[in-house]
Amino acid sequence: MLVGPMVRRRRLGSELRRLREARALKLDDVASRLGVAPSTLSRIETGKAPTKTSYLTVMLELYQVDDPALRQPLLEMAREGQRKGWWADVDELLPAGFGRYLGLESEASDLRAFTVQTIHGLLRTESYATAVIAAERSDLTAAERERLVSVQMRRREVLLGTDPIQLQVILDESSLLRSLGSPEIMAGQLEHLLAAARRPTVTVQVLRLAGDPLPVLSGPFAILSFAESGDPDLASTKGIRGQALIAERGADVRALSDVFDALSQAALGPADSADLIGDLAGNPASTS
């Protein structure tokens, strides 16, 4: 999978934190030497912000990293981490933190997601995405919504190519029953969902509204995994105003992973899910 600026930032930040702690230096002390707020250094160490090469040079001196063979890879990661993401042109329209999530998603090898109310963004048609954005962002102009739709369409590229993301999505049945846009838009979306579920790299399950009591209740979330074992999994949940809240603590990610496994066990299997989606689309034959 692609190794882009977001993963570079995570790797560099993790290494800088390790080096600082190895020298028993406090966050506040290093931030003072850099002339920045401790919160700024914290964002660098957690990969939320890029590292200026001038900051990195000072930190490496403080951490007594003199060997060019050790310094050069870190400097290269800092330069790569400063690159703008492909969504930069619409960043001002995105909910807080969502740009960073898009970058991490585009660099992930695996994605497990649970969605309610709406179908997952990677599995949307352009017409359905337009209807969702119009419903969620009534404060925007038509031109601004169109720019966000373009992001949705670009986002789907992770499903394509020679090394696509491995996608496993559990859809709450409500996302299939809730009408957004015209009946034609919904029918087209369900047909698109069926076609996507036939791909070997995509698994779609439906969590029925009726049936046995659920073992757990949860809002929407996503868990991202990366090809390199040194890049730990992370999770993302949705804030009140659509913010992407990213959790990187191992315990938090494991907890959501357990929730996903429980929901997957309770949901219909892929074949039965396809049958249900086909029935709702009014075209049961399309599931064969």
Side-chain angles (χ1 to χ4, degrees), residues 31 41 47 78 92 112-113 147 164 184 265:
L41 181 56
E92 80 279 5
R112 291 170 287 164
R147 291 170 64 196
E184 291 76 18
Q265 288 291 323

Side-chain angles (χ1 to χ4, degrees), residues 121 123-133 146 149-150 152-153 156 185 188-189 192:
L123 301 175
R124 293 175 185 174
T125 65
E126 185 171 351
S127 297
Y128 180 81
T130 300
V132 171
I133 290 171
E146 186 175 338
V149 171
S150 70
Q152 286 281 349
M153 297 302 99
R156 299 188 307 179
I185 288 175
Q189 173 59 64
H192 177 77

Side-chain angles (χ1 to χ4, degrees), residues 232-256:
D233 292 356
L234 58 82
S236 177
T237 58
K238 195 172 183 179
I240 294 174
R241 301 187 66 182
Q243 308 99 312
L245 307 176
I246 296 177
E248 300 188 63
R249 289 179 52 205
D252 295 334
V253 177
R254 286 192 296 272
L256 278 178

Side-chain angles (χ1 to χ4, degrees), residues 114 169-172 204-208 214-215 260-270 272-273:
F114 173 59
V169 173
I170 302 172
L171 301 171
D172 189 84
V204 175
Q205 293 182 263
V206 177
L207 188 67
R208 298 298 304 265
L214 288 178
F260 185 89
D261 290 343
L263 292 172
S264 181
Q265 288 291 323
L268 297 176
D272 289 338
S273 296

